[in-house]
Amino acid sequence: MRFERKHAVLLLAVAAWNVVTFGQFARTLWSAYESGEERATGYWVAHSILIVVNVAIAGLLGSLGWKAFRQTR
């Protein structure tokens, strides 16, 4: 499959969106934890795993997007 420049830009944009939104989510989650919000341990673990997985997906999409972007010059 050949990527065009528009595909590369889309992959990079989705990767950036994931980092920004899940970065904000991580900050909010940490603030709730620090303020002593009462939640079950499973809540903190599940949401932390979601953040890690989505940042990893962003890294993969960003890597693919960057490679495609360089190849379409």
Side-chain angles (χ1 to χ4, degrees):
M1 178 177 172
R2 292 188 51 85
F3 285 111
E4 295 179 20
R5 195 163 194 94
K6 63 183 176 184
H7 299 124
V9 170
L10 178 64
L11 287 171
L12 290 170
V14 171
W17 177 257
N18 270 1
V19 169
V20 168
T21 57
F22 279 92
Q24 179 63 37
F25 181 52
R27 213 172 315 133
T28 303
L29 191 67
W30 182 255
S31 294
Y33 178 76
E34 285 292 307
S35 69
E37 190 172 314
E38 294 292 326
R39 299 282 184 157
T41 303
Y43 174 86
W44 304 111
V45 171
H47 285 85
S48 298
I49 290 170
L50 282 173
I51 292 167
V52 169
V53 167
N54 278 289
V55 169
I57 290 170
L60 176 66
L61 293 177
S63 174
L64 288 172
W66 184 247
K67 286 178 187 176
F69 190 80
R70 286 188 315 190
Q71 290 175 355
T72 59
R73 284 190 202 186

Short mmCIF file of all heavy atoms in Angstrom, two decimals:
data_model
loop_
_atom_site.label_atom_id
_atom_site.label_comp_id
_atom_site.label_asym_id
_atom_site.label_seq_id
_atom_site.Cartn_x
_atom_site.Cartn_y
_atom_site.Cartn_z
N MET A 1 0.84 -1.17 0.00
CA MET A 1 0.00 0.00 0.00
C MET A 1 0.89 1.24 0.00
O MET A 1 1.85 1.32 0.75
CB MET A 1 -0.88 -0.01 1.24
CG MET A 1 -1.76 1.17 1.37
SD MET A 1 -2.81 0.99 2.83
CE MET A 1 -3.52 2.59 2.86
N ARG A 2 0.56 2.18 -0.83
CA ARG A 2 1.31 3.43 -0.88
C ARG A 2 0.53 4.54 -0.17
O ARG A 2 -0.64 4.75 -0.45
CB ARG A 2 1.56 3.84 -2.32
CG ARG A 2 2.52 2.90 -3.02
CD ARG A 2 2.94 3.38 -4.38
NE ARG A 2 3.43 4.75 -4.42
CZ ARG A 2 4.69 5.12 -4.17
NH1 ARG A 2 5.57 4.21 -3.81
NH2 ARG A 2 5.06 6.37 -4.27
N PHE A 3 1.22 5.18 0.71
CA PHE A 3 0.60 6.31 1.40
C PHE A 3 0.82 7.58 0.60
O PHE A 3 1.88 7.81 0.04
CB PHE A 3 1.24 6.51 2.79
CG PHE A 3 0.81 5.50 3.81
CD1 PHE A 3 1.71 4.57 4.28
CD2 PHE A 3 -0.47 5.49 4.29
CE1 PHE A 3 1.33 3.64 5.23
CE2 PHE A 3 -0.87 4.57 5.24
CZ PHE A 3 0.04 3.65 5.71
N GLU A 4 -0.20 8.39 0.56
CA GLU A 4 -0.07 9.72 -0.01
C GLU A 4 0.16 10.69 1.14
O GLU A 4 0.03 10.35 2.30
CB GLU A 4 -1.34 10.09 -0.77
CG GLU A 4 -1.59 9.21 -1.99
CD GLU A 4 -2.87 9.59 -2.71
OE1 GLU A 4 -3.36 10.73 -2.52
OE2 GLU A 4 -3.38 8.75 -3.45
N ARG A 5 0.51 11.91 0.77
CA ARG A 5 0.80 12.92 1.79
C ARG A 5 -0.42 13.15 2.71
O ARG A 5 -0.27 13.35 3.90
CB ARG A 5 1.23 14.21 1.13
CG ARG A 5 1.89 15.16 2.09
CD ARG A 5 2.65 16.21 1.31
NE ARG A 5 3.54 16.94 2.15
CZ ARG A 5 4.80 16.67 2.34
NH1 ARG A 5 5.34 15.65 1.74
NH2 ARG A 5 5.55 17.40 3.12
N LYS A 6 -1.62 13.12 2.13
CA LYS A 6 -2.82 13.34 2.95
C LYS A 6 -3.00 12.24 3.99
O LYS A 6 -3.47 12.50 5.10
CB LYS A 6 -4.07 13.48 2.07
CG LYS A 6 -4.41 12.25 1.27
CD LYS A 6 -5.60 12.50 0.37
CE LYS A 6 -5.86 11.29 -0.51
NZ LYS A 6 -6.94 11.52 -1.45
N HIS A 7 -2.59 11.02 3.66
CA HIS A 7 -2.66 9.92 4.64
C HIS A 7 -1.66 10.15 5.77
O HIS A 7 -1.97 9.91 6.94
CB HIS A 7 -2.38 8.57 3.98
CG HIS A 7 -3.35 8.22 2.91
ND1 HIS A 7 -2.95 7.92 1.63
CD2 HIS A 7 -4.69 8.13 2.91
CE1 HIS A 7 -4.02 7.66 0.90
NE2 HIS A 7 -5.09 7.78 1.65
N ALA A 8 -0.47 10.61 5.38
CA ALA A 8 0.56 10.87 6.39
C ALA A 8 0.11 11.97 7.34
O ALA A 8 0.27 11.84 8.57
CB ALA A 8 1.86 11.26 5.70
N VAL A 9 -0.46 13.02 6.80
CA VAL A 9 -0.93 14.13 7.64
C VAL A 9 -2.06 13.66 8.56
O VAL A 9 -2.10 14.03 9.74
CB VAL A 9 -1.38 15.32 6.76
CG1 VAL A 9 -2.09 16.38 7.58
CG2 VAL A 9 -0.19 15.91 6.03
N LEU A 10 -2.95 12.83 8.05
CA LEU A 10 -4.03 12.30 8.88
C LEU A 10 -3.48 11.46 10.03
O LEU A 10 -3.91 11.60 11.17
CB LEU A 10 -5.00 11.47 8.03
CG LEU A 10 -6.15 10.82 8.81
CD1 LEU A 10 -7.06 11.88 9.42
CD2 LEU A 10 -6.92 9.88 7.92
N LEU A 11 -2.53 10.58 9.74
CA LEU A 11 -1.93 9.76 10.80
C LEU A 11 -1.25 10.62 11.86
O LEU A 11 -1.39 10.36 13.06
CB LEU A 11 -0.94 8.76 10.20
CG LEU A 11 -1.54 7.60 9.42
CD1 LEU A 11 -0.44 6.83 8.71
CD2 LEU A 11 -2.33 6.69 10.32
N LEU A 12 -0.52 11.62 11.42
CA LEU A 12 0.16 12.52 12.37
C LEU A 12 -0.86 13.31 13.20
O LEU A 12 -0.67 13.50 14.41
CB LEU A 12 1.10 13.45 11.63
CG LEU A 12 2.33 12.80 11.03
CD1 LEU A 12 3.06 13.77 10.12
CD2 LEU A 12 3.25 12.27 12.12
N ALA A 13 -1.95 13.74 12.57
CA ALA A 13 -2.98 14.49 13.30
C ALA A 13 -3.68 13.62 14.34
O ALA A 13 -3.91 14.06 15.47
CB ALA A 13 -4.00 15.06 12.31
N VAL A 14 -3.98 12.37 13.98
CA VAL A 14 -4.63 11.47 14.94
C VAL A 14 -3.69 11.15 16.10
O VAL A 14 -4.11 11.11 17.26
CB VAL A 14 -5.11 10.18 14.23
CG1 VAL A 14 -5.57 9.14 15.23
CG2 VAL A 14 -6.23 10.50 13.25
N ALA A 15 -2.41 10.97 15.79
CA ALA A 15 -1.44 10.71 16.85
C ALA A 15 -1.35 11.91 17.80
O ALA A 15 -1.35 11.73 19.03
CB ALA A 15 -0.07 10.41 16.24
N ALA A 16 -1.29 13.11 17.24
CA ALA A 16 -1.22 14.30 18.08
C ALA A 16 -2.49 14.45 18.92
O ALA A 16 -2.42 14.80 20.11
CB ALA A 16 -1.02 15.54 17.20
N TRP A 17 -3.63 14.19 18.32
CA TRP A 17 -4.91 14.27 19.04
C TRP A 17 -4.92 13.30 20.22
O TRP A 17 -5.34 13.66 21.32
CB TRP A 17 -6.06 13.98 18.09
CG TRP A 17 -7.39 13.98 18.76
CD1 TRP A 17 -8.13 12.91 19.12
CD2 TRP A 17 -8.13 15.12 19.20
NE1 TRP A 17 -9.29 13.30 19.75
CE2 TRP A 17 -9.31 14.65 19.81
CE3 TRP A 17 -7.91 16.49 19.13
CZ2 TRP A 17 -10.27 15.52 20.33
CZ3 TRP A 17 -8.86 17.34 19.66
CH2 TRP A 17 -10.02 16.86 20.25
N ASN A 18 -4.46 12.07 19.99
CA ASN A 18 -4.41 11.08 21.08
C ASN A 18 -3.51 11.56 22.21
O ASN A 18 -3.86 11.42 23.38
CB ASN A 18 -3.92 9.73 20.56
CG ASN A 18 -5.03 8.84 20.08
OD1 ASN A 18 -6.19 9.23 20.10
ND2 ASN A 18 -4.68 7.66 19.65
N VAL A 19 -2.36 12.09 21.88
CA VAL A 19 -1.42 12.55 22.92
C VAL A 19 -2.03 13.70 23.71
O VAL A 19 -1.98 13.71 24.94
CB VAL A 19 -0.07 12.95 22.30
CG1 VAL A 19 0.80 13.67 23.31
CG2 VAL A 19 0.64 11.72 21.75
N VAL A 20 -2.63 14.65 23.01
CA VAL A 20 -3.21 15.82 23.70
C VAL A 20 -4.38 15.41 24.59
O VAL A 20 -4.43 15.77 25.77
CB VAL A 20 -3.65 16.89 22.68
CG1 VAL A 20 -4.49 17.97 23.34
CG2 VAL A 20 -2.43 17.50 22.01
N THR A 21 -5.31 14.65 24.03
CA THR A 21 -6.51 14.31 24.81
C THR A 21 -6.19 13.37 25.97
O THR A 21 -6.71 13.56 27.07
CB THR A 21 -7.60 13.68 23.93
OG1 THR A 21 -7.08 12.53 23.28
CG2 THR A 21 -8.12 14.68 22.92
N PHE A 22 -5.34 12.38 25.74
CA PHE A 22 -5.03 11.47 26.83
C PHE A 22 -4.03 12.07 27.81
O PHE A 22 -3.97 11.66 28.96
CB PHE A 22 -4.61 10.10 26.31
CG PHE A 22 -5.80 9.27 25.94
CD1 PHE A 22 -6.30 9.28 24.66
CD2 PHE A 22 -6.47 8.54 26.90
CE1 PHE A 22 -7.43 8.55 24.32
CE2 PHE A 22 -7.60 7.81 26.59
CZ PHE A 22 -8.08 7.82 25.30
N GLY A 23 -3.25 13.05 27.37
CA GLY A 23 -2.42 13.80 28.31
C GLY A 23 -3.28 14.59 29.28
O GLY A 23 -3.02 14.60 30.49
N GLN A 24 -4.32 15.23 28.74
CA GLN A 24 -5.25 15.96 29.59
C GLN A 24 -6.00 15.01 30.53
O GLN A 24 -6.20 15.31 31.70
CB GLN A 24 -6.26 16.74 28.73
CG GLN A 24 -7.28 17.49 29.52
CD GLN A 24 -6.68 18.58 30.38
OE1 GLN A 24 -5.72 19.24 29.98
NE2 GLN A 24 -7.22 18.78 31.56
N PHE A 25 -6.38 13.86 30.01
CA PHE A 25 -7.06 12.85 30.83
C PHE A 25 -6.15 12.37 31.95
O PHE A 25 -6.59 12.22 33.10
CB PHE A 25 -7.51 11.69 29.95
CG PHE A 25 -8.26 10.62 30.68
CD1 PHE A 25 -9.34 10.91 31.47
CD2 PHE A 25 -7.88 9.29 30.55
CE1 PHE A 25 -10.04 9.92 32.14
CE2 PHE A 25 -8.57 8.29 31.21
CZ PHE A 25 -9.65 8.61 32.01
N ALA A 26 -4.87 12.16 31.65
CA ALA A 26 -3.93 11.71 32.67
C ALA A 26 -3.77 12.78 33.75
O ALA A 26 -3.71 12.47 34.94
CB ALA A 26 -2.58 11.40 32.03
N ARG A 27 -3.70 14.04 33.33
CA ARG A 27 -3.58 15.13 34.29
C ARG A 27 -4.80 15.20 35.19
O ARG A 27 -4.69 15.37 36.42
CB ARG A 27 -3.41 16.45 33.53
CG ARG A 27 -2.54 17.42 34.25
CD ARG A 27 -2.19 18.66 33.46
NE ARG A 27 -1.80 18.37 32.09
CZ ARG A 27 -2.26 19.01 31.03
NH1 ARG A 27 -3.14 19.98 31.18
NH2 ARG A 27 -1.86 18.70 29.82
N THR A 28 -5.97 15.05 34.62
CA THR A 28 -7.22 15.07 35.39
C THR A 28 -7.29 13.89 36.35
O THR A 28 -7.69 14.03 37.51
CB THR A 28 -8.43 15.07 34.44
OG1 THR A 28 -8.32 16.18 33.56
CG2 THR A 28 -9.73 15.13 35.20
N LEU A 29 -6.91 12.72 35.86
CA LEU A 29 -6.92 11.53 36.70
C LEU A 29 -5.95 11.68 37.87
O LEU A 29 -6.27 11.33 39.00
CB LEU A 29 -6.55 10.30 35.85
CG LEU A 29 -6.76 8.93 36.49
CD1 LEU A 29 -8.25 8.68 36.71
CD2 LEU A 29 -6.17 7.85 35.61
N TRP A 30 -4.77 12.23 37.59
CA TRP A 30 -3.79 12.43 38.65
C TRP A 30 -4.29 13.44 39.69
O TRP A 30 -4.11 13.24 40.89
CB TRP A 30 -2.45 12.88 38.06
CG TRP A 30 -1.41 13.05 39.12
CD1 TRP A 30 -0.93 14.22 39.61
CD2 TRP A 30 -0.73 12.01 39.84
NE1 TRP A 30 0.00 13.99 40.59
CE2 TRP A 30 0.15 12.63 40.74
CE3 TRP A 30 -0.78 10.63 39.80
CZ2 TRP A 30 0.95 11.91 41.60
CZ3 TRP A 30 0.03 9.93 40.66
CH2 TRP A 30 0.88 10.56 41.54
N SER A 31 -4.92 14.50 39.21
CA SER A 31 -5.47 15.50 40.14
C SER A 31 -6.53 14.88 41.04
O SER A 31 -6.58 15.16 42.24
CB SER A 31 -6.09 16.66 39.37
OG SER A 31 -5.11 17.36 38.67
N ALA A 32 -7.37 14.03 40.48
CA ALA A 32 -8.41 13.37 41.27
C ALA A 32 -7.77 12.45 42.30
O ALA A 32 -8.21 12.38 43.45
CB ALA A 32 -9.35 12.58 40.36
N TYR A 33 -6.74 11.74 41.90
CA TYR A 33 -6.05 10.84 42.82
C TYR A 33 -5.38 11.61 43.95
O TYR A 33 -5.48 11.25 45.12
CB TYR A 33 -5.02 10.01 42.06
CG TYR A 33 -4.22 9.08 42.93
CD1 TYR A 33 -4.79 7.91 43.42
CD2 TYR A 33 -2.91 9.38 43.29
CE1 TYR A 33 -4.07 7.06 44.24
CE2 TYR A 33 -2.19 8.54 44.10
CZ TYR A 33 -2.76 7.38 44.58
OH TYR A 33 -2.05 6.55 45.39
N GLU A 34 -4.70 12.69 43.60
CA GLU A 34 -4.00 13.51 44.59
C GLU A 34 -4.95 14.18 45.57
O GLU A 34 -4.59 14.41 46.72
CB GLU A 34 -3.13 14.56 43.90
CG GLU A 34 -1.87 14.00 43.28
CD GLU A 34 -0.89 13.51 44.33
OE1 GLU A 34 -0.55 14.29 45.25
OE2 GLU A 34 -0.48 12.35 44.23
N SER A 35 -6.14 14.52 45.11
CA SER A 35 -7.09 15.19 45.99
C SER A 35 -7.81 14.20 46.92
O SER A 35 -8.61 14.60 47.74
CB SER A 35 -8.12 15.97 45.17
OG SER A 35 -8.97 15.08 44.48
N GLY A 36 -7.51 12.91 46.75
CA GLY A 36 -8.07 11.91 47.64
C GLY A 36 -9.44 11.40 47.24
O GLY A 36 -10.19 10.92 48.08
N GLU A 37 -9.77 11.53 45.97
CA GLU A 37 -11.07 11.05 45.50
C GLU A 37 -11.22 9.56 45.78
O GLU A 37 -10.32 8.77 45.50
CB GLU A 37 -11.21 11.32 44.00
CG GLU A 37 -12.59 11.08 43.48
CD GLU A 37 -12.73 11.55 42.04
OE1 GLU A 37 -12.28 12.67 41.73
OE2 GLU A 37 -13.28 10.78 41.26
N GLU A 38 -12.34 9.20 46.34
CA GLU A 38 -12.59 7.80 46.72
C GLU A 38 -13.09 7.00 45.53
O GLU A 38 -14.21 7.22 45.05
CB GLU A 38 -13.61 7.74 47.85
CG GLU A 38 -13.13 8.32 49.15
CD GLU A 38 -12.00 7.52 49.79
OE1 GLU A 38 -12.02 6.28 49.67
OE2 GLU A 38 -11.12 8.14 50.40
N ARG A 39 -12.27 6.13 45.01
CA ARG A 39 -12.64 5.23 43.92
C ARG A 39 -12.04 3.86 44.21
O ARG A 39 -11.06 3.74 44.93
CB ARG A 39 -12.08 5.72 42.57
CG ARG A 39 -12.56 7.06 42.11
CD ARG A 39 -13.93 6.94 41.53
NE ARG A 39 -14.34 8.24 41.00
CZ ARG A 39 -15.24 8.38 40.08
NH1 ARG A 39 -15.85 7.33 39.57
NH2 ARG A 39 -15.59 9.58 39.67
N ALA A 40 -12.61 2.85 43.60
CA ALA A 40 -12.05 1.50 43.73
C ALA A 40 -10.71 1.45 43.01
O ALA A 40 -10.46 2.19 42.06
CB ALA A 40 -13.01 0.48 43.12
N THR A 41 -9.83 0.58 43.47
CA THR A 41 -8.51 0.44 42.86
C THR A 41 -8.62 0.09 41.38
O THR A 41 -7.84 0.57 40.56
CB THR A 41 -7.70 -0.65 43.60
OG1 THR A 41 -7.62 -0.29 44.98
CG2 THR A 41 -6.32 -0.78 43.03
N GLY A 42 -9.60 -0.71 41.03
CA GLY A 42 -9.81 -1.09 39.63
C GLY A 42 -10.04 0.11 38.73
O GLY A 42 -9.63 0.11 37.56
N TYR A 43 -10.68 1.13 39.25
CA TYR A 43 -10.91 2.36 38.49
C TYR A 43 -9.59 3.00 38.09
O TYR A 43 -9.37 3.36 36.93
CB TYR A 43 -11.74 3.33 39.32
CG TYR A 43 -11.92 4.69 38.71
CD1 TYR A 43 -12.94 4.93 37.82
CD2 TYR A 43 -11.06 5.74 39.04
CE1 TYR A 43 -13.12 6.19 37.26
CE2 TYR A 43 -11.23 7.00 38.49
CZ TYR A 43 -12.25 7.22 37.59
OH TYR A 43 -12.41 8.45 37.04
N TRP A 44 -8.69 3.16 39.07
CA TRP A 44 -7.40 3.80 38.79
C TRP A 44 -6.55 2.94 37.85
O TRP A 44 -5.92 3.47 36.93
CB TRP A 44 -6.65 4.05 40.09
CG TRP A 44 -7.42 4.87 41.09
CD1 TRP A 44 -7.93 4.44 42.27
CD2 TRP A 44 -7.79 6.24 40.97
NE1 TRP A 44 -8.59 5.46 42.89
CE2 TRP A 44 -8.52 6.58 42.13
CE3 TRP A 44 -7.58 7.22 40.00
CZ2 TRP A 44 -9.03 7.85 42.34
CZ3 TRP A 44 -8.10 8.48 40.22
CH2 TRP A 44 -8.81 8.79 41.37
N VAL A 45 -6.57 1.64 38.06
CA VAL A 45 -5.78 0.74 37.22
C VAL A 45 -6.31 0.73 35.79
O VAL A 45 -5.54 0.87 34.83
CB VAL A 45 -5.77 -0.69 37.82
CG1 VAL A 45 -5.15 -1.69 36.85
CG2 VAL A 45 -5.04 -0.71 39.14
N ALA A 46 -7.61 0.59 35.63
CA ALA A 46 -8.20 0.52 34.29
C ALA A 46 -7.94 1.80 33.50
O ALA A 46 -7.56 1.75 32.32
CB ALA A 46 -9.70 0.25 34.39
N HIS A 47 -8.12 2.93 34.13
CA HIS A 47 -7.91 4.19 33.42
C HIS A 47 -6.44 4.44 33.14
O HIS A 47 -6.09 5.02 32.10
CB HIS A 47 -8.55 5.34 34.19
CG HIS A 47 -10.04 5.34 34.07
ND1 HIS A 47 -10.83 4.57 34.89
CD2 HIS A 47 -10.88 5.96 33.21
CE1 HIS A 47 -12.09 4.75 34.56
NE2 HIS A 47 -12.14 5.58 33.53
N SER A 48 -5.57 4.01 34.02
CA SER A 48 -4.14 4.13 33.76
C SER A 48 -3.72 3.27 32.58
O SER A 48 -2.92 3.69 31.73
CB SER A 48 -3.34 3.74 34.99
OG SER A 48 -3.64 4.60 36.06
N ILE A 49 -4.28 2.07 32.49
CA ILE A 49 -3.98 1.19 31.35
C ILE A 49 -4.51 1.80 30.05
O ILE A 49 -3.83 1.76 29.02
CB ILE A 49 -4.56 -0.22 31.59
CG1 ILE A 49 -3.77 -0.91 32.70
CG2 ILE A 49 -4.55 -1.06 30.32
CD1 ILE A 49 -4.38 -2.21 33.18
N LEU A 50 -5.69 2.40 30.10
CA LEU A 50 -6.23 3.08 28.91
C LEU A 50 -5.29 4.18 28.43
O LEU A 50 -5.06 4.32 27.22
CB LEU A 50 -7.60 3.69 29.22
CG LEU A 50 -8.79 2.77 29.24
CD1 LEU A 50 -10.02 3.52 29.73
CD2 LEU A 50 -9.04 2.20 27.86
N ILE A 51 -4.76 4.94 29.34
CA ILE A 51 -3.85 6.03 28.98
C ILE A 51 -2.59 5.47 28.33
O ILE A 51 -2.16 5.93 27.28
CB ILE A 51 -3.52 6.89 30.21
CG1 ILE A 51 -4.76 7.65 30.66
CG2 ILE A 51 -2.36 7.83 29.92
CD1 ILE A 51 -4.65 8.28 32.03
N VAL A 52 -2.00 4.45 28.94
CA VAL A 52 -0.76 3.86 28.41
C VAL A 52 -0.99 3.27 27.02
O VAL A 52 -0.20 3.50 26.10
CB VAL A 52 -0.21 2.80 29.38
CG1 VAL A 52 0.91 2.01 28.75
CG2 VAL A 52 0.26 3.47 30.67
N VAL A 53 -2.08 2.54 26.85
CA VAL A 53 -2.36 1.92 25.55
C VAL A 53 -2.60 2.97 24.48
O VAL A 53 -2.08 2.87 23.36
CB VAL A 53 -3.57 0.96 25.67
CG1 VAL A 53 -4.08 0.54 24.31
CG2 VAL A 53 -3.19 -0.25 26.49
N ASN A 54 -3.34 4.02 24.80
CA ASN A 54 -3.61 5.05 23.80
C ASN A 54 -2.39 5.87 23.45
O ASN A 54 -2.23 6.29 22.31
CB ASN A 54 -4.77 5.93 24.25
CG ASN A 54 -6.09 5.29 23.93
OD1 ASN A 54 -6.46 5.21 22.77
ND2 ASN A 54 -6.77 4.80 24.94
N VAL A 55 -1.50 6.08 24.39
CA VAL A 55 -0.25 6.78 24.08
C VAL A 55 0.64 5.88 23.21
O VAL A 55 1.30 6.35 22.29
CB VAL A 55 0.47 7.25 25.36
CG1 VAL A 55 1.87 7.73 25.07
CG2 VAL A 55 -0.34 8.35 26.03
N ALA A 56 0.62 4.57 23.46
CA ALA A 56 1.37 3.63 22.61
C ALA A 56 0.80 3.62 21.19
O ALA A 56 1.56 3.60 20.21
CB ALA A 56 1.34 2.23 23.21
N ILE A 57 -0.51 3.63 21.06
CA ILE A 57 -1.14 3.71 19.74
C ILE A 57 -0.75 5.00 19.05
O ILE A 57 -0.45 5.02 17.85
CB ILE A 57 -2.67 3.57 19.87
CG1 ILE A 57 -3.04 2.15 20.26
CG2 ILE A 57 -3.37 3.96 18.56
CD1 ILE A 57 -4.50 1.97 20.65
N ALA A 58 -0.73 6.10 19.79
CA ALA A 58 -0.31 7.38 19.22
C ALA A 58 1.13 7.30 18.72
O ALA A 58 1.46 7.84 17.66
CB ALA A 58 -0.46 8.50 20.24
N GLY A 59 1.99 6.63 19.48
CA GLY A 59 3.38 6.47 19.05
C GLY A 59 3.48 5.67 17.76
O GLY A 59 4.24 6.03 16.85
N LEU A 60 2.71 4.61 17.65
CA LEU A 60 2.71 3.79 16.44
C LEU A 60 2.18 4.58 15.25
O LEU A 60 2.79 4.59 14.17
CB LEU A 60 1.86 2.54 16.66
CG LEU A 60 1.67 1.63 15.44
CD1 LEU A 60 3.02 1.02 15.05
CD2 LEU A 60 0.66 0.57 15.73
N LEU A 61 1.05 5.26 15.42
CA LEU A 61 0.49 6.06 14.33
C LEU A 61 1.41 7.21 13.94
O LEU A 61 1.56 7.52 12.76
CB LEU A 61 -0.88 6.61 14.73
CG LEU A 61 -1.99 5.59 14.89
CD1 LEU A 61 -3.27 6.28 15.36
CD2 LEU A 61 -2.23 4.83 13.62
N GLY A 62 2.02 7.83 14.93
CA GLY A 62 2.96 8.91 14.64
C GLY A 62 4.18 8.41 13.87
O GLY A 62 4.65 9.07 12.94
N SER A 63 4.66 7.25 14.24
CA SER A 63 5.80 6.65 13.54
C SER A 63 5.46 6.34 12.09
O SER A 63 6.21 6.68 11.17
CB SER A 63 6.24 5.39 14.27
OG SER A 63 7.24 4.72 13.55
N LEU A 64 4.30 5.71 11.88
CA LEU A 64 3.87 5.41 10.52
C LEU A 64 3.63 6.69 9.72
O LEU A 64 4.02 6.79 8.54
CB LEU A 64 2.59 4.59 10.54
CG LEU A 64 2.70 3.14 10.98
CD1 LEU A 64 1.31 2.53 11.14
CD2 LEU A 64 3.53 2.35 10.00
N GLY A 65 3.01 7.66 10.34
CA GLY A 65 2.75 8.93 9.67
C GLY A 65 4.02 9.66 9.30
O GLY A 65 4.14 10.23 8.22
N TRP A 66 5.00 9.64 10.19
CA TRP A 66 6.26 10.32 9.92
C TRP A 66 7.02 9.64 8.77
O TRP A 66 7.56 10.32 7.90
CB TRP A 66 7.12 10.38 11.17
CG TRP A 66 8.37 11.15 10.95
CD1 TRP A 66 9.64 10.66 10.94
CD2 TRP A 66 8.49 12.55 10.70
NE1 TRP A 66 10.52 11.66 10.70
CE2 TRP A 66 9.86 12.83 10.54
CE3 TRP A 66 7.57 13.58 10.59
CZ2 TRP A 66 10.32 14.12 10.27
CZ3 TRP A 66 8.03 14.86 10.32
CH2 TRP A 66 9.39 15.11 10.17
N LYS A 67 7.04 8.31 8.77
CA LYS A 67 7.69 7.58 7.68
C LYS A 67 7.00 7.88 6.34
O LYS A 67 7.66 8.12 5.34
CB LYS A 67 7.65 6.08 7.93
CG LYS A 67 8.59 5.62 9.00
CD LYS A 67 8.48 4.12 9.24
CE LYS A 67 9.30 3.70 10.44
NZ LYS A 67 9.13 2.27 10.73
N ALA A 68 5.68 7.87 6.34
CA ALA A 68 4.93 8.17 5.12
C ALA A 68 5.15 9.62 4.70
O ALA A 68 5.29 9.90 3.50
CB ALA A 68 3.44 7.91 5.35
N PHE A 69 5.24 10.52 5.64
CA PHE A 69 5.46 11.93 5.33
C PHE A 69 6.81 12.14 4.67
O PHE A 69 6.93 12.88 3.69
CB PHE A 69 5.35 12.76 6.62
CG PHE A 69 5.32 14.24 6.39
CD1 PHE A 69 4.15 14.86 6.00
CD2 PHE A 69 6.46 15.01 6.59
CE1 PHE A 69 4.11 16.23 5.78
CE2 PHE A 69 6.43 16.37 6.39
CZ PHE A 69 5.26 16.98 5.98
N ARG A 70 7.83 11.48 5.19
CA ARG A 70 9.18 11.60 4.61
C ARG A 70 9.23 11.00 3.21
O ARG A 70 9.96 11.49 2.36
CB ARG A 70 10.22 10.94 5.50
CG ARG A 70 10.52 11.72 6.74
CD ARG A 70 11.66 11.13 7.48
NE ARG A 70 11.48 9.67 7.54
CZ ARG A 70 12.20 8.86 8.28
NH1 ARG A 70 13.14 9.34 9.03
NH2 ARG A 70 11.98 7.57 8.29
N GLN A 71 8.52 9.93 2.99
CA GLN A 71 8.57 9.25 1.69
C GLN A 71 7.78 9.99 0.61
O GLN A 71 8.00 9.74 -0.56
CB GLN A 71 8.05 7.82 1.80
CG GLN A 71 8.97 6.91 2.58
CD GLN A 71 8.39 5.53 2.78
OE1 GLN A 71 7.24 5.27 2.41
NE2 GLN A 71 9.17 4.64 3.36
N THR A 72 6.88 10.86 0.99
CA THR A 72 6.05 11.55 0.00
C THR A 72 6.59 12.93 -0.37
O THR A 72 5.91 13.67 -1.05
CB THR A 72 4.61 11.69 0.50
OG1 THR A 72 4.60 12.42 1.73
CG2 THR A 72 3.96 10.34 0.68
N ARG A 73 7.78 13.25 0.02
CA ARG A 73 8.33 14.56 -0.32
C ARG A 73 8.64 14.67 -1.78
O ARG A 73 9.09 13.89 -2.47
CB ARG A 73 9.59 14.83 0.48
CG ARG A 73 9.30 15.20 1.88
CD ARG A 73 10.55 15.66 2.53
NE ARG A 73 10.38 15.50 3.98
CZ ARG A 73 11.24 15.93 4.84
NH1 ARG A 73 12.34 16.51 4.45
NH2 ARG A 73 11.03 15.78 6.12
#
